[in-house]
Amino acid sequence: MTATIPVIDLAPALNGDHPARVRVAREIDAACTEVGFFTIRGHGIPVEVIERLRDRASQFFNLPLQEKLLAQPEDPSVPRGYRAIGFEALSHGNTIDTPPDLKEYYHFGRPSWPDQPYYTSEQGQRFFVPNRWPDRPADFADAANDYYQRVERLAEQLMELTALALGLDEQFFADKIDRHITAMRINFYPEQKTAPEPGQLRAGEHTDYGLLTILNGENKPGGLQVQVRDGEWIPVETAPDTFVVNIGDLLMRWTNDRWVSNVHRVVNPPASAASLSQRISMGFFHHPNYDALIESVAPSGEARYPPVLSGEYRDEKYRVTRN
C-alpha cells in the first residue's frame, strides 16, 4: 500500500483540554514513527501572514541578478542574506556527490536578541547574526520578521506536543529551545530554461539537521518528495493555509530512532513545464539552543548515537553542504 502524508488538525490541542492534547500528540507520534512527515491545519497563523511573505519573496527573487547579489553577505560563511544558484548541494550532507542544487534562497534568523553573554559572546555571535535585507521590496523585512515570530510560537507548541507524544513532561524541551538558533530560508526554484546536469535537482536528497522543519510550499510542477520506508518516493502536497512538518536529525537522535528523519528532495519540473514553473517554499528550521546536549531519551535499550551539542552538529552539516 502506498504511504501517505497524514493531515493533523492542531486546533483541538491548541484550544482544548489535556485529553485533547494527548490525542493530537498520539497522532503526531504515529506520523513521526511511520513517515517522519505530517501536514498541519488549525495552527492559528493567518493565511494573510503567509501570503504577504510569499508575495514579497516573489518580488525579490524576480529582481535582476545583480541587484539580488547586493544582498549577499560579505563573508560567504555567514548564513544570512541572498544565495544564488551554485552555492549549495544539500545531498553532500548525506555523502551523495551531485552537482549544485538548482535553487536560490534567502537566509535569515530572529530579528533581535537580549544583550547577554549567551548571545553576544564569541561563541554566541556564530549563531546570532544580524539579518541582511535588500532595498526592495521595502517591507520584505517586516513581512519576514512577522512570519518568523508567529512560526516560532507554533514551534514551541509543537515541541510541547512532541514531549507528550514521547511520554515526557510537556515542558521537557522548554529549557533546551528557549534560546534556540533557528534560521529560516525562503527557497526560490526558478524556471529551468536549460536541461539540468545528470543527477542535478532543485534540492538534492537530504535530511534536515535540527528538531522540526515547518514548511509552507506550493503545489506546482517540480515539488517536494519524501522517501518512505519501502524506498518509494511520494509527493508532499501543501495548501496555502497549511504547513508540512518533518522531523530533523537531532530529534531522531533524541528519540533513539523511534522517530525517523526521512530523506527528501525537490525534483525538477517536467521538461514541458520547466520554462514556466517558478516555485517558492518557506522553511522554518527549528534548532535547539547551541549548547543543548542531544542524547537519547529512550526509556530502555542502548543509545544508538553518542551525545552531541546542537551547535556543533549544525556547523558540521553547514560545512559539508556548501560549495
Side-chain angles (χ1 to χ4, degrees):
M1 183 175 65
T2 300
T4 58
I5 306 299
V7 179
I8 298 175
D9 185 359
L10 290 188
L14 301 186
N15 305 316
D17 56 12
H18 183 73
R21 294 174 64 75
V22 171
R23 286 194 295 273
V24 173
R26 287 174 180 161
E27 291 185 60
I28 292 173
D29 182 37
C32 295
T33 300
E34 291 302 317
V35 70
F37 273 71
F38 56 96
T39 297
I40 55 172
R41 54 187 175 87
H43 47 73
I45 297 178
V47 69
E48 295 79 12
V49 171
I50 301 169
E51 290 176 342
R52 182 189 179 208
L53 180 55
R54 182 177 299 281
D55 174 76
R56 302 314 186 269
S58 180
Q59 289 182 45
F60 171 78
F61 285 114
N62 281 284
L63 293 172
L65 177 60
Q66 290 306 311
E67 183 172 350
K68 290 187 287 187
L69 290 173
L70 296 175
Q72 286 186 132
E74 295 178 5
D75 180 350
S77 69
V78 173
R80 292 293 182 270
Y82 172 72
R83 299 296 191 183
I85 287 176
F87 181 74
E88 181 176 68
L90 283 173
S91 62
H92 292 184
N94 287 66
T95 64
I96 303 172
D97 188 15
T98 65
D101 296 338
L102 292 171
K103 70 172 182 292
E104 306 170 31
Y105 67 87
Y106 212 98
H107 200 142
F108 61 98
R110 63 170 64 195
S112 62
W113 46 86
D115 184 14
Q116 297 172 0
Y118 177 85
Y119 304 93
T120 61
S121 66
E122 182 178 353
Q123 184 178 22
Q125 289 180 54
R126 292 170 40 224
F127 302 100
F128 295 94
V129 183
N131 289 322
R132 185 181 183 97
W133 299 110
D135 293 332
R136 294 195 296 164
D139 60 346
F140 190 5
D142 289 340
N145 290 334
D146 184 24
Y147 184 100
Y148 184 101
Q149 290 170 310
R150 291 175 187 266
V151 181
E152 179 182 46
R153 175 55 187 147
L154 175 61
E156 293 172 358
Q157 295 167 324
L158 284 169
M159 291 308 298
E160 291 173 357
L161 294 172
T162 291
L164 284 177
L166 296 171
L168 304 169
D169 182 273
E170 194 166 346
Q171 297 302 312
F172 173 82
F173 292 104
D175 64 350
K176 303 165 185 66
I177 63 171
D178 57 347
R179 300 181 294 178
H180 63 85
I181 57 173
T182 300
M184 263 201 69
R185 278 193 184 192
I186 305 176
N187 291 311
F188 176 67
Y189 306 102
E191 304 96 327
Q192 293 184 356
K193 297 180 180 179
T194 59
E197 297 178 35
Q200 190 172 36
L201 297 175
R202 282 180 154 178
E205 299 176 20
H206 65 284
T207 58
D208 291 344
Y209 315 146
L211 295 177
L212 301 170
T213 299
I214 304 173
L215 181 80
N216 182 267
E218 294 182 292
N219 286 332
K220 292 184 176 182
L224 179 65
Q225 295 181 341
V226 58
Q227 188 175 40
V228 293
R229 289 185 182 272
D230 65 2
E232 181 184 6
W233 288 96
I234 63 173
V236 182
E237 297 185 355
T238 60
D241 61 346
T242 67
F243 295 99
V244 173
V245 180
N246 66 273
I247 302 309
D249 296 349
L250 291 185
L251 191 50
M252 184 173 75
R253 294 170 74 112
W254 236 326
T255 68
N256 209 33
D257 285 356
R258 171 175 170 175
W259 287 4
V260 58
S261 176
N262 248 347
V263 175
H264 49 285
R265 65 187 183 185
V266 180
V267 296
N268 299 315
S272 60
S275 64
L276 304 175
S277 179
Q278 291 187 355
R279 186 172 180 272
I280 288 176
S281 68
M282 304 184 298
F284 183 95
F285 297 91
H286 194 37
H287 209 99
N289 304 354
Y290 65 75
D291 58 357
L293 184 66
I294 315 302
E295 53 187 346
S296 171
V297 295
S300 61
E302 184 176 348
R304 298 187 179 188
Y305 304 98
V308 65
L309 289 174
S310 162
E312 291 179 358
Y313 188 85
R314 193 211 71 170
D315 282 353
E316 175 59 17
K317 287 292 186 177
Y318 275 9
R319 185 189 66 78
V320 298
T321 56
R322 273 41 171 182
N323 287 309

